[in-house]
Amino acid sequence: MRKIELNKRQEQILQIVKENGPITGEHIADRLNLTRATLRPDLAILTMAGFLDARPRVGYFYTGKTGTQLLTENLKKKKICVKDYQSIPVVVNESVSVYDAICTMFLEDVGTLFVVDGTGILVGVLSRKDLLRASIGNQELTTLPVNIIMTRMPNIAMCQKEDPLIEVADRLIEKQIDAMPVVKETSKGYEVIGRITKTNITKAFVALANDD
Ligand code: ADP
């Protein structure tokens, strides 16, 4: 779930319920000179987002929760998912040289590359230090293929787009890695569809703090 932005009418509804709740949808509509039907989508959003609660035969009342409280709750209840914060993955073929992988890392401005085979299936991961380690040896970097030095399957920590972001953050810390590929399972293996890094997690963290 992303930062909750309320429109002007939703802010008005919130104010009315704060001051007059519990209040029925009918009465809120009367105060705004609108029909109940017009208000329905706004009331649904405010209720789903947790700002308002509705009780049958009583009406709407204000939950008293701020945007930050609601976002934190959503994070804990695991409603914030990988797909809300993932970035575009940068992949290289397993046959490219370490030299070319280093160039790609600089050009694409990422810290982790995902390695795929000829059919686009995930076979490895390359971190900055994997490439540095290979570079300080006396190796010919233009002819050394990345599949010699990469971390390979089945040792790759992966996630899926519906996974809760908090669980992915936990695994990044536990495994002491900077990034994870977001994958989709196919009959041939795992296809890389995204990338979650510590930067994405930091962005989520900042979004939580800024939202009030
Ligand atoms: P760096 O090595 O630059 O500090 P990381 O901490 O991400 O970056 O990587 C540490 C090691 O873990 C590297 O050898 C890398 O290949 C490996 N690694 C990185 N990401 C993953 C992952 N998602 N799954 C398994 N191994 C990984």
Side-chain angles (χ1 to χ4, degrees), residues 112-148:
T112 309
L113 298 173
F114 302 123
V115 185
V116 295
D117 67 13
T119 66
I121 294 302
L122 177 70
V123 291
V125 175
L126 288 168
S127 73
R128 282 178 270 232
K129 259 180 262 156
D130 292 332
L131 296 172
L132 273 178
R133 195 181 303 113
S135 307
I136 56 174
N138 283 326
Q139 324 217 40
E140 183 46 67
L141 299 183
T142 54
T143 55
L144 178 67
V146 289
N147 63 12
I148 306 290

mmCIF file of all heavy atoms in Angstrom, residues 112-148:
data_model
loop_
_atom_site.group_PDB
_atom_site.id
_atom_site.type_symbol
_atom_site.label_atom_id
_atom_site.label_comp_id
_atom_site.label_asym_id
_atom_site.label_seq_id
_atom_site.Cartn_x
_atom_site.Cartn_y
_atom_site.Cartn_z
ATOM 1 N N THR A 112 23.794 -4.702 -8.042
ATOM 2 C CA THR A 112 23.648 -6.152 -8.204
ATOM 3 C C THR A 112 23.112 -6.447 -9.596
ATOM 4 O O THR A 112 22.172 -5.798 -10.053
ATOM 5 C CB THR A 112 22.647 -6.715 -7.161
ATOM 6 O OG1 THR A 112 23.012 -6.255 -5.859
ATOM 7 C CG2 THR A 112 22.643 -8.243 -7.163
ATOM 8 N N LEU A 113 23.743 -7.419 -10.256
ATOM 9 C CA LEU A 113 23.252 -7.856 -11.568
ATOM 10 C C LEU A 113 22.691 -9.262 -11.414
ATOM 11 O O LEU A 113 23.226 -10.073 -10.644
ATOM 12 C CB LEU A 113 24.405 -7.895 -12.582
ATOM 13 C CG LEU A 113 25.119 -6.584 -12.912
ATOM 14 C CD1 LEU A 113 26.328 -6.855 -13.798
ATOM 15 C CD2 LEU A 113 24.152 -5.615 -13.594
ATOM 16 N N PHE A 114 21.647 -9.549 -12.154
ATOM 17 C CA PHE A 114 21.113 -10.914 -12.167
ATOM 18 C C PHE A 114 21.558 -11.567 -13.461
ATOM 19 O O PHE A 114 21.580 -10.929 -14.525
ATOM 20 C CB PHE A 114 19.598 -10.894 -12.016
ATOM 21 C CG PHE A 114 19.174 -10.202 -10.753
ATOM 22 C CD1 PHE A 114 18.320 -9.108 -10.779
ATOM 23 C CD2 PHE A 114 19.678 -10.628 -9.530
ATOM 24 C CE1 PHE A 114 17.978 -8.444 -9.609
ATOM 25 C CE2 PHE A 114 19.339 -9.979 -8.351
ATOM 26 C CZ PHE A 114 18.483 -8.886 -8.391
ATOM 27 N N VAL A 115 21.936 -12.831 -13.356
ATOM 28 C CA VAL A 115 22.481 -13.540 -14.508
ATOM 29 C C VAL A 115 21.439 -14.543 -15.013
ATOM 30 O O VAL A 115 20.852 -15.283 -14.218
ATOM 31 C CB VAL A 115 23.785 -14.278 -14.122
ATOM 32 C CG1 VAL A 115 24.422 -14.916 -15.352
ATOM 33 C CG2 VAL A 115 24.762 -13.321 -13.450
ATOM 34 N N VAL A 116 21.211 -14.520 -16.321
ATOM 35 C CA VAL A 116 20.212 -15.421 -16.914
ATOM 36 C C VAL A 116 20.853 -16.285 -18.001
ATOM 37 O O VAL A 116 21.884 -15.915 -18.553
ATOM 38 C CB VAL A 116 19.016 -14.636 -17.521
ATOM 39 C CG1 VAL A 116 18.229 -13.911 -16.442
ATOM 40 C CG2 VAL A 116 19.485 -13.652 -18.582
ATOM 41 N N ASP A 117 20.210 -17.413 -18.280
ATOM 42 C CA ASP A 117 20.704 -18.262 -19.369
ATOM 43 C C ASP A 117 20.079 -17.799 -20.694
ATOM 44 O O ASP A 117 19.347 -16.800 -20.724
ATOM 45 C CB ASP A 117 20.423 -19.755 -19.076
ATOM 46 C CG ASP A 117 18.935 -20.085 -19.079
ATOM 47 O OD1 ASP A 117 18.121 -19.239 -19.540
ATOM 48 O OD2 ASP A 117 18.571 -21.185 -18.630
ATOM 49 N N GLY A 118 20.361 -18.529 -21.755
ATOM 50 C CA GLY A 118 19.878 -18.141 -23.079
ATOM 51 C C GLY A 118 18.372 -18.042 -23.194
ATOM 52 O O GLY A 118 17.849 -17.361 -24.078
ATOM 53 N N THR A 119 17.640 -18.689 -22.273
ATOM 54 C CA THR A 119 16.179 -18.630 -22.352
ATOM 55 C C THR A 119 15.592 -17.619 -21.362
ATOM 56 O O THR A 119 14.377 -17.560 -21.160
ATOM 57 C CB THR A 119 15.553 -20.021 -22.084
ATOM 58 O OG1 THR A 119 15.834 -20.375 -20.719
ATOM 59 C CG2 THR A 119 16.132 -21.078 -23.002
ATOM 60 N N GLY A 120 16.469 -16.834 -20.738
ATOM 61 C CA GLY A 120 15.991 -15.797 -19.818
ATOM 62 C C GLY A 120 15.691 -16.297 -18.417
ATOM 63 O O GLY A 120 15.046 -15.596 -17.636
ATOM 64 N N ILE A 121 16.153 -17.491 -18.098
ATOM 65 C CA ILE A 121 15.904 -18.055 -16.767
ATOM 66 C C ILE A 121 17.057 -17.699 -15.819
ATOM 67 O O ILE A 121 18.230 -17.754 -16.198
ATOM 68 C CB ILE A 121 15.716 -19.592 -16.867
ATOM 69 C CG1 ILE A 121 14.438 -19.931 -17.663
ATOM 70 C CG2 ILE A 121 15.696 -20.255 -15.487
ATOM 71 C CD1 ILE A 121 13.152 -19.338 -17.093
ATOM 72 N N LEU A 122 16.686 -17.340 -14.590
ATOM 73 C CA LEU A 122 17.676 -16.930 -13.591
ATOM 74 C C LEU A 122 18.648 -18.064 -13.265
ATOM 75 O O LEU A 122 18.242 -19.173 -12.924
ATOM 76 C CB LEU A 122 16.940 -16.511 -12.306
ATOM 77 C CG LEU A 122 17.797 -16.114 -11.104
ATOM 78 C CD1 LEU A 122 18.511 -14.784 -11.362
ATOM 79 C CD2 LEU A 122 16.937 -16.016 -9.849
ATOM 80 N N VAL A 123 19.952 -17.758 -13.391
ATOM 81 C CA VAL A 123 20.959 -18.770 -13.023
ATOM 82 C C VAL A 123 21.963 -18.253 -11.994
ATOM 83 O O VAL A 123 22.652 -19.040 -11.356
ATOM 84 C CB VAL A 123 21.728 -19.319 -14.266
ATOM 85 C CG1 VAL A 123 20.821 -20.153 -15.144
ATOM 86 C CG2 VAL A 123 22.387 -18.200 -15.066
ATOM 87 N N GLY A 124 22.051 -16.921 -11.825
ATOM 88 C CA GLY A 124 23.045 -16.419 -10.877
ATOM 89 C C GLY A 124 22.848 -14.973 -10.471
ATOM 90 O O GLY A 124 21.980 -14.273 -10.980
ATOM 91 N N VAL A 125 23.701 -14.558 -9.518
ATOM 92 C CA VAL A 125 23.709 -13.183 -9.016
ATOM 93 C C VAL A 125 25.156 -12.699 -8.973
ATOM 94 O O VAL A 125 26.057 -13.464 -8.629
ATOM 95 C CB VAL A 125 23.114 -13.114 -7.582
ATOM 96 C CG1 VAL A 125 23.233 -11.705 -7.012
ATOM 97 C CG2 VAL A 125 21.674 -13.550 -7.563
ATOM 98 N N LEU A 126 25.358 -11.442 -9.331
ATOM 99 C CA LEU A 126 26.694 -10.827 -9.257
ATOM 100 C C LEU A 126 26.608 -9.572 -8.412
ATOM 101 O O LEU A 126 25.839 -8.663 -8.725
ATOM 102 C CB LEU A 126 27.170 -10.416 -10.654
ATOM 103 C CG LEU A 126 27.568 -11.507 -11.637
ATOM 104 C CD1 LEU A 126 27.705 -10.898 -13.029
ATOM 105 C CD2 LEU A 126 28.874 -12.172 -11.219
ATOM 106 N N SER A 127 27.405 -9.527 -7.361
ATOM 107 C CA SER A 127 27.441 -8.316 -6.540
ATOM 108 C C SER A 127 28.693 -7.521 -6.902
ATOM 109 O O SER A 127 29.558 -7.995 -7.633
ATOM 110 C CB SER A 127 27.471 -8.693 -5.058
ATOM 111 O OG SER A 127 28.755 -9.201 -4.723
ATOM 112 N N ARG A 128 28.782 -6.297 -6.353
ATOM 113 C CA ARG A 128 29.975 -5.473 -6.584
ATOM 114 C C ARG A 128 31.221 -6.218 -6.142
ATOM 115 O O ARG A 128 32.228 -6.246 -6.852
ATOM 116 C CB ARG A 128 29.870 -4.179 -5.767
ATOM 117 C CG ARG A 128 28.948 -3.165 -6.397
ATOM 118 C CD ARG A 128 28.850 -1.944 -5.516
ATOM 119 N NE ARG A 128 27.753 -2.131 -4.586
ATOM 120 C CZ ARG A 128 26.775 -1.244 -4.403
ATOM 121 N NH1 ARG A 128 26.794 -0.106 -5.069
ATOM 122 N NH2 ARG A 128 25.806 -1.472 -3.560
ATOM 123 N N LYS A 129 31.142 -6.839 -4.966
ATOM 124 C CA LYS A 129 32.343 -7.508 -4.437
ATOM 125 C C LYS A 129 32.714 -8.752 -5.224
ATOM 126 O O LYS A 129 33.890 -9.092 -5.314
ATOM 127 C CB LYS A 129 32.194 -7.798 -2.944
ATOM 128 C CG LYS A 129 32.956 -6.772 -2.106
ATOM 129 C CD LYS A 129 32.842 -7.032 -0.628
ATOM 130 C CE LYS A 129 31.777 -6.153 -0.015
ATOM 131 N NZ LYS A 129 31.208 -6.662 1.225
ATOM 132 N N ASP A 130 31.730 -9.425 -5.797
ATOM 133 C CA ASP A 130 32.063 -10.583 -6.661
ATOM 134 C C ASP A 130 32.952 -10.098 -7.805
ATOM 135 O O ASP A 130 33.939 -10.757 -8.160
ATOM 136 C CB ASP A 130 30.791 -11.195 -7.270
ATOM 137 C CG ASP A 130 29.897 -11.855 -6.229
ATOM 138 O OD1 ASP A 130 30.416 -12.325 -5.205
ATOM 139 O OD2 ASP A 130 28.662 -11.902 -6.468
ATOM 140 N N LEU A 131 32.593 -8.942 -8.378
ATOM 141 C CA LEU A 131 33.350 -8.420 -9.526
ATOM 142 C C LEU A 131 34.707 -7.857 -9.090
ATOM 143 O O LEU A 131 35.711 -8.037 -9.784
ATOM 144 C CB LEU A 131 32.522 -7.359 -10.267
ATOM 145 C CG LEU A 131 31.223 -7.893 -10.896
ATOM 146 C CD1 LEU A 131 30.368 -6.756 -11.433
ATOM 147 C CD2 LEU A 131 31.513 -8.890 -12.014
ATOM 148 N N LEU A 132 34.720 -7.241 -7.910
ATOM 149 C CA LEU A 132 36.006 -6.732 -7.394
ATOM 150 C C LEU A 132 36.967 -7.886 -7.130
ATOM 151 O O LEU A 132 38.150 -7.819 -7.480
ATOM 152 C CB LEU A 132 35.784 -5.988 -6.067
ATOM 153 C CG LEU A 132 35.436 -4.518 -6.134
ATOM 154 C CD1 LEU A 132 35.216 -3.973 -4.726
ATOM 155 C CD2 LEU A 132 36.558 -3.738 -6.813
ATOM 156 N N ARG A 133 36.427 -8.944 -6.508
ATOM 157 C CA ARG A 133 37.250 -10.104 -6.160
ATOM 158 C C ARG A 133 37.890 -10.690 -7.423
ATOM 159 O O ARG A 133 39.068 -11.002 -7.449
ATOM 160 C CB ARG A 133 36.399 -11.153 -5.443
ATOM 161 C CG ARG A 133 37.220 -12.209 -4.722
ATOM 162 C CD ARG A 133 36.328 -13.258 -4.041
ATOM 163 N NE ARG A 133 35.374 -12.710 -3.101
ATOM 164 C CZ ARG A 133 34.046 -12.729 -3.274
ATOM 165 N NH1 ARG A 133 33.515 -13.282 -4.352
ATOM 166 N NH2 ARG A 133 33.245 -12.210 -2.381
ATOM 167 N N ALA A 134 37.072 -10.812 -8.476
ATOM 168 C CA ALA A 134 37.597 -11.367 -9.723
ATOM 169 C C ALA A 134 38.642 -10.438 -10.334
ATOM 170 O O ALA A 134 39.594 -10.891 -10.978
ATOM 171 C CB ALA A 134 36.454 -11.580 -10.706
ATOM 172 N N SER A 135 38.482 -9.134 -10.088
ATOM 173 C CA SER A 135 39.380 -8.155 -10.711
ATOM 174 C C SER A 135 40.751 -8.082 -10.058
ATOM 175 O O SER A 135 41.724 -7.706 -10.712
ATOM 176 C CB SER A 135 38.760 -6.760 -10.657
ATOM 177 O OG SER A 135 37.475 -6.806 -11.203
ATOM 178 N N ILE A 136 40.817 -8.405 -8.769
ATOM 179 C CA ILE A 136 42.128 -8.288 -8.112
ATOM 180 C C ILE A 136 42.987 -9.528 -8.324
ATOM 181 O O ILE A 136 44.168 -9.527 -8.028
ATOM 182 C CB ILE A 136 42.024 -7.945 -6.602
ATOM 183 C CG1 ILE A 136 41.155 -8.967 -5.873
ATOM 184 C CG2 ILE A 136 41.502 -6.529 -6.405
ATOM 185 C CD1 ILE A 136 41.139 -8.761 -4.365
ATOM 186 N N GLY A 137 42.392 -10.598 -8.888
ATOM 187 C CA GLY A 137 43.214 -11.760 -9.253
ATOM 188 C C GLY A 137 43.941 -11.431 -10.549
ATOM 189 O O GLY A 137 43.694 -10.398 -11.163
ATOM 190 N N ASN A 138 44.797 -12.334 -10.974
ATOM 191 C CA ASN A 138 45.530 -12.065 -12.223
ATOM 192 C C ASN A 138 44.779 -12.632 -13.415
ATOM 193 O O ASN A 138 45.347 -13.297 -14.248
ATOM 194 C CB ASN A 138 46.921 -12.703 -12.163
ATOM 195 C CG ASN A 138 47.850 -11.884 -11.308
ATOM 196 O OD1 ASN A 138 47.737 -10.665 -11.288
ATOM 197 N ND2 ASN A 138 48.737 -12.542 -10.598
ATOM 198 N N GLN A 139 43.499 -12.347 -13.479
ATOM 199 C CA GLN A 139 42.711 -12.982 -14.519
ATOM 200 C C GLN A 139 42.483 -12.032 -15.687
ATOM 201 O O GLN A 139 42.486 -10.832 -15.520
ATOM 202 C CB GLN A 139 41.362 -13.396 -13.943
ATOM 203 C CG GLN A 139 41.492 -13.869 -12.521
ATOM 204 C CD GLN A 139 40.576 -15.017 -12.223
ATOM 205 O OE1 GLN A 139 40.412 -15.895 -13.062
ATOM 206 N NE2 GLN A 139 39.983 -15.006 -11.062
ATOM 207 N N GLU A 140 42.248 -12.634 -16.822
ATOM 208 C CA GLU A 140 41.947 -11.840 -18.004
ATOM 209 C C GLU A 140 40.433 -11.570 -17.996
ATOM 210 O O GLU A 140 39.635 -12.461 -18.315
ATOM 211 C CB GLU A 140 42.381 -12.631 -19.249
ATOM 212 C CG GLU A 140 42.185 -11.894 -20.546
ATOM 213 C CD GLU A 140 42.670 -10.457 -20.516
ATOM 214 O OE1 GLU A 140 43.899 -10.229 -20.414
ATOM 215 O OE2 GLU A 140 41.805 -9.560 -20.598
ATOM 216 N N LEU A 141 40.046 -10.367 -17.612
ATOM 217 C CA LEU A 141 38.628 -10.088 -17.358
ATOM 218 C C LEU A 141 37.761 -10.084 -18.613
ATOM 219 O O LEU A 141 36.557 -10.303 -18.536
ATOM 220 C CB LEU A 141 38.476 -8.743 -16.637
ATOM 221 C CG LEU A 141 39.165 -8.654 -15.279
ATOM 222 C CD1 LEU A 141 38.872 -7.303 -14.638
ATOM 223 C CD2 LEU A 141 38.711 -9.780 -14.359
ATOM 224 N N THR A 142 38.380 -9.851 -19.771
ATOM 225 C CA THR A 142 37.576 -9.803 -20.997
ATOM 226 C C THR A 142 37.223 -11.201 -21.498
ATOM 227 O O THR A 142 36.319 -11.353 -22.319
ATOM 228 C CB THR A 142 38.302 -9.043 -22.124
ATOM 229 O OG1 THR A 142 39.572 -9.641 -22.298
ATOM 230 C CG2 THR A 142 38.444 -7.571 -21.793
ATOM 231 N N THR A 143 37.927 -12.218 -21.014
ATOM 232 C CA THR A 143 37.610 -13.580 -21.482
ATOM 233 C C THR A 143 37.031 -14.456 -20.368
ATOM 234 O O THR A 143 36.584 -15.568 -20.630
ATOM 235 C CB THR A 143 38.868 -14.274 -22.057
ATOM 236 O OG1 THR A 143 39.899 -14.238 -21.072
ATOM 237 C CG2 THR A 143 39.339 -13.592 -23.334
ATOM 238 N N LEU A 144 37.022 -13.944 -19.149
ATOM 239 C CA LEU A 144 36.476 -14.732 -18.030
ATOM 240 C C LEU A 144 34.956 -14.557 -17.980
ATOM 241 O O LEU A 144 34.458 -13.454 -17.737
ATOM 242 C CB LEU A 144 37.111 -14.237 -16.718
ATOM 243 C CG LEU A 144 36.662 -14.893 -15.421
ATOM 244 C CD1 LEU A 144 37.111 -16.354 -15.357
ATOM 245 C CD2 LEU A 144 37.214 -14.117 -14.223
ATOM 246 N N PRO A 145 34.176 -15.630 -18.224
ATOM 247 C CA PRO A 145 32.706 -15.476 -18.198
ATOM 248 C C PRO A 145 32.178 -15.347 -16.772
ATOM 249 O O PRO A 145 32.748 -15.928 -15.845
ATOM 250 C CB PRO A 145 32.189 -16.755 -18.858
ATOM 251 C CG PRO A 145 33.301 -17.725 -18.825
ATOM 252 C CD PRO A 145 34.593 -17.012 -18.525
ATOM 253 N N VAL A 146 31.083 -14.601 -16.628
ATOM 254 C CA VAL A 146 30.553 -14.359 -15.279
ATOM 255 C C VAL A 146 30.064 -15.626 -14.588
ATOM 256 O O VAL A 146 30.060 -15.690 -13.366
ATOM 257 C CB VAL A 146 29.413 -13.303 -15.289
ATOM 258 C CG1 VAL A 146 29.950 -11.910 -15.576
ATOM 259 C CG2 VAL A 146 28.286 -13.694 -16.217
ATOM 260 N N ASN A 147 29.713 -16.636 -15.368
ATOM 261 C CA ASN A 147 29.166 -17.831 -14.681
ATOM 262 C C ASN A 147 30.217 -18.593 -13.876
ATOM 263 O O ASN A 147 29.895 -19.496 -13.118
ATOM 264 C CB ASN A 147 28.392 -18.742 -15.638
ATOM 265 C CG ASN A 147 29.238 -19.318 -16.741
ATOM 266 O OD1 ASN A 147 30.473 -19.224 -16.697
ATOM 267 N ND2 ASN A 147 28.593 -19.897 -17.743
ATOM 268 N N ILE A 148 31.495 -18.224 -14.033
ATOM 269 C CA ILE A 148 32.560 -18.833 -13.214
ATOM 270 C C ILE A 148 32.571 -18.221 -11.813
ATOM 271 O O ILE A 148 32.903 -18.889 -10.843
ATOM 272 C CB ILE A 148 33.961 -18.598 -13.874
ATOM 273 C CG1 ILE A 148 33.986 -19.069 -15.322
ATOM 274 C CG2 ILE A 148 35.095 -19.203 -13.053
ATOM 275 C CD1 ILE A 148 33.935 -20.575 -15.477
#
